[in-house]
Amino acid sequence: MTLPRSRYLSVMGREFHLTEWGDDAAPALIMWHGLARTGRDFDTLAAHFSDRYRVICPDTLGRGLSGWSRAPRRDYTLDTYMRHAVALLEALGIERLDWIGTSMGGALGMLLAAGPLKGRMTRLVMNDIGPALNPVAVERIRAYLAQHPSFRTMTEFEAFVRQVYKPYGFQTDAEWRRMTETSARRRGDGRITPHYDPAVMRVFAETAGDYEVWAEYDKVECPTLVLRGVDSDLLLPEVADEMTRRGPRARLVTVPGCGHAPALNVPEQIAVLEEFLD
């Protein structure tokens, strides 16, 4: 397996962490994670594509090893994430790219394909996200993200991660352990909490309406693939179906054995991405 390169960049006065895979001269493939996750969620997928792509997996501001904001209400929004993404690409010298985004990362890719990266993004994968969210799922997300619990041991924290992200579907024990370790932050009192800035979730609770973006979806022109976990409560079947009839007229694939959102780590899911990107 190709090993990732860890890198830190100062962009727009903020420090961003990202992992890179593959040859710098290869075509660029961006993998952007979900709301409360990190770029390390893509390790299995990134390693798979590293033989033909320069794969870049950023940590969004306020997550993982990237810095936290002193102005959360300004910085933890889709509009600012778009500006950060464009600035990161400029810093990395990337002109054209393919994009795989899970949940929030898929919404971000859609907005970029419709706007700042129109004509530069050649393919878009939206993993269990659409231009309209199920309000019931939004409330569920708000409820568990607002808790920000703490744990005495990593064993307790791993049990929590396995429960919360059970809808991701099958992961090996090694993948669950990696997800746990890359999701952990130890506080001053020694207890373990999730990696993200709690303000990220407070801002999401206030700005969930920003994800209602059918008008922007209709502006997307690049080939688009939509993945929907068969048990997903965030991307409703009727929304996914509508995405095949308007805008880029996305190809829709329903992924068995998972909800929100497919982990993109098993051969069957990777094969769908292979076919689309090739």
Side-chain angles (χ1 to χ4, degrees):
M1 177 182 290
T2 303
L3 295 177
R5 303 182 297 278
S6 184
R7 185 171 180 181
Y8 295 86
L9 291 174
S10 179
V11 174
M12 295 176 59
R14 304 287 187 267
E15 184 178 61
F16 287 84
H17 173 257
L18 52 90
T19 50
E20 288 185 291
W21 309 71
D23 189 337
D24 285 353
L29 174 58
I30 310 301
M31 299 183 181
W32 208 290
H33 62 78
L35 180 69
R37 301 302 314 135
T38 81
R40 295 298 304 276
D41 283 4
F42 293 110
D43 276 13
T44 300
L45 186 65
H48 177 84
F49 280 107
S50 63
D51 64 340
R52 72 208 83 168
Y53 283 101
R54 177 189 182 186
V55 185
I56 298 166
C57 306
D59 292 344
T60 310
L61 192 71
R63 287 81 155 180
L65 297 176
S66 289
W68 289 15
S69 173
R70 294 182 180 179
R73 190 59 182 78
R74 179 194 67 200
D75 287 342
Y76 295 152
T77 64
L78 282 171
D79 185 61
T80 302
Y81 298 154
M82 289 171 62
R83 293 199 293 272
H84 290 163
V86 172
L88 275 171
L89 293 174
E90 296 303 320
L92 293 166
I94 294 172
E95 178 60 29
R96 296 180 65 81
L97 61 134
D98 290 340
W99 184 288
I100 297 174
T102 291
S103 196
M104 181 199 76
L108 180 60
M110 172 184 59
L111 293 172
L112 290 166
L117 298 184
K118 197 180 189 77
R120 294 174 58 185
M121 190 181 298
T122 53
R123 295 177 188 84
L124 169 63
V125 177
M126 300 176 64
N127 184 24
D128 212 66
I129 190 73
L133 308 183
N134 179 7
V136 174
V138 171
E139 290 306 313
R140 173 184 60 79
I141 293 169
R142 283 171 170 160
Y144 84 76
L145 293 178
Q147 296 174 15
H148 210 71
S150 67
F151 302 87
R152 184 176 57 87
T153 67
M154 285 294 289
T155 301
E156 293 173 356
F157 183 56
E158 181 170 335
F160 167 78
V161 169
R162 285 177 179 250
Q163 180 60 38
V164 168
Y165 295 105
K166 185 177 180 180
Y168 273 37
F170 173 80
Q171 297 197 84
T172 65
D173 287 341
E175 287 172 329
W176 280 118
R177 178 58 53 84
R178 182 181 68 217
M179 189 176 190
T180 299
E181 292 178 346
T182 57
S183 298
R185 177 173 63 91
R186 200 173 287 275
R187 301 188 318 199
D189 63 2
R191 294 185 67 85
I192 299 158
T193 64
H195 60 94
Y196 50 80
D197 181 351
V200 167
M201 308 315 156
R202 291 198 297 270
V203 174
F204 171 75
E206 299 168 1
T207 61
D210 292 353
Y211 287 77
E212 303 295 315
V213 286
W214 277 113
E216 285 74 13
Y217 178 76
D218 288 339
K219 297 176 184 176
V220 175
E221 296 178 353
C222 65
T224 300
L225 170 67
V226 175
L227 303 176
R228 179 182 180 271
V230 68
D231 297 319
S232 175
D233 64 345
L234 188 72
L235 177 57
L236 293 174
E238 54 267 32
V239 173
D241 288 340
E242 184 70 8
M243 294 172 74
T244 69
R245 294 190 290 268
R246 57 191 286 185
R249 293 180 174 83
R251 176 187 173 193
L252 172 62
V253 175
T254 300
V255 183
C258 57
H260 181 75
L264 308 183
N265 64 322
V266 296
E268 295 79 8
Q269 296 171 23
I270 294 174
V272 173
L273 299 174
E274 283 262 16
E275 190 275 333
F276 177 72
L277 294 177
D278 286 345

